[in-house]
Amino acid sequence: MNRFVNFNNLPEMFTIGRLEELIHGAASRRAIGYMVRNLLREGKVFKVTNSIFSKTANVFYIAYHLYKGYIGLSSALYIYGLKTEVEATVYVCTSSYERQKRILDRIVVPVNVSRQQYGTEIISVENEEILVSSYPKTIFDIISNPKFADYFDMYRALNQRKLTEDEWRELLYYTINSNLTDARRVGYATDGMAPEWFTKRLINISNESTGVSYFFKHRTNNYNLKWRLYDSLDIRRWLNAN
């Protein structure tokens, strides 16, 4: 590889086409493919897909760049040190519907959040800078996307690292800019943990409609009259998780 391009100058993630651009015709596509296979055998690069390769095995970095989104949900809690178990799944929030992929023995699951506000920060993970949802946005995304959520993880995180006043305001911002169901979900999920002003604001939004909402599946069990919400998952059983 050094004959044509310095390995250290390669992008962290690249395609054969990108290498052709860097080499400027100094080698054929076949020769470039041969060089990449050597790098794979030597463990210097890793295969992400049939056409994409990576110099790093950091699956969070790969997922963030591959889907052009941000790491969220329980994967963000892991990055924040609020979850110690390493899961086989990495969640990346995106602006479109994408298919999940198996990358380096992990399942990367894209979650479409295109209709929601963004709230992110850059965090260094294994010396790679990665876009991750802010802590309040992480909580909002977990509550708003029950199909992909682990509520034991969420409540354990909230008990270990309580939201500050400013973070409650940030969470409220995402919530009131979403929809009625999310307002009820967030209010219900955080009732008893949130400041009084936060809960009161969401109660007022909830009471603007006499209809009912569902936390996940449309099942008429575990009804909460205060929030006019059916919770088939019974998420509050994890309220005191530690």
Side-chain angles (χ1 to χ4, degrees):
M1 175 62 74
N2 288 338
R3 178 182 171 188
F4 303 106
V5 61
N6 190 315
F7 176 78
N8 294 327
N9 293 334
L10 286 178
E12 285 294 285
M13 292 176 63
F14 60 88
T15 62
I16 297 294
R18 178 59 178 148
L19 289 187
E20 286 183 300
E21 293 175 3
L22 291 172
I23 292 173
H24 298 299
S28 66
R29 190 176 185 88
R30 182 177 180 180
I32 294 172
Y34 176 77
M35 290 185 289
V36 171
R37 287 193 293 274
N38 281 341
L39 291 173
L40 287 169
R41 280 196 297 270
E42 295 169 3
K44 292 182 177 179
V45 301
F46 305 90
K47 185 176 181 180
V48 176
T49 69
N50 287 335
S51 60
I52 300 175
F53 304 89
S54 173
K55 289 169 60 178
T56 177
N58 185 331
V59 70
F60 295 108
Y61 178 87
I62 294 172
Y64 153 51
H65 278 278
L66 186 63
Y67 286 98
K68 297 179 174 60
Y70 62 84
I71 302 301
L73 303 165
S74 57
S75 298
L77 295 180
Y78 177 81
I79 289 175
Y80 282 118
L82 295 169
K83 175 182 171 64
T84 56
E85 301 87 352
V86 178
E87 294 183 332
T89 302
V90 172
Y91 293 103
V92 55
C93 297
T94 69
S95 59
S96 61
Y97 289 101
E98 305 285 349
R99 291 185 177 181
Q100 68 180 40
K101 299 180 185 295
R102 177 175 287 277
I103 299 174
L104 303 180
D105 297 324
R106 306 279 284 277
I107 300 298
V108 177
V109 177
V111 180
N112 185 353
V113 295
S114 58
R115 296 184 178 182
Q116 299 171 355
Q117 304 291 318
Y118 269 42
T120 58
E121 57 185 281
I122 295 177
I123 295 179
S124 179
V125 179
E126 298 174 5
N127 298 317
E128 301 286 359
E129 291 191 339
I130 299 173
L131 201 62
V132 182
S133 55
S134 68
Y135 186 37
K137 187 59 163 65
T138 300
I139 300 303
F140 175 82
D141 285 345
I142 290 174
I143 296 173
S144 180
N145 296 277
K147 178 180 178 181
F148 305 101
D150 187 322
Y151 292 104
F152 175 84
D153 287 344
M154 183 192 77
Y155 280 120
R156 180 173 58 178
L158 285 171
N159 286 324
Q160 290 177 357
R161 202 300 220 164
K162 300 185 185 302
L163 293 172
T164 65
E165 188 85 355
D166 285 343
E167 288 174 333
W168 281 113
R169 294 188 187 283
E170 184 181 338
L171 177 56
L172 182 65
Y173 170 78
Y174 302 130
T175 306
I176 64 178
N177 282 285
S178 188
N179 54 57
L180 174 63
T181 295
D182 277 342
R184 286 174 170 168
R185 285 170 173 167
V186 173
Y188 165 76
T190 62
D191 201 352
M193 307 179 82
E196 184 178 349
W197 57 264
F198 180 96
T199 302
K200 184 177 179 180
R201 179 70 183 277
L202 296 188
I203 279 287
N204 289 339
I205 293 174
S206 175
N207 289 341
E208 290 175 359
S209 173
T210 57
V212 299
S213 297
Y214 298 85
F215 204 95
F216 185 39
K217 295 183 178 180
H218 283 220
R219 295 177 179 170
T220 55
N221 60 312
N222 198 24
Y223 182 64
N224 185 281
L225 179 62
K226 179 179 180 180
W227 293 101
R228 301 180 182 180
L229 180 77
Y230 288 103
D231 176 15
S232 61
L233 298 176
D234 190 19
I235 69 161
R236 287 179 64 86
R237 72 184 186 274
W238 303 118
L239 191 63
N240 297 314
N242 288 297

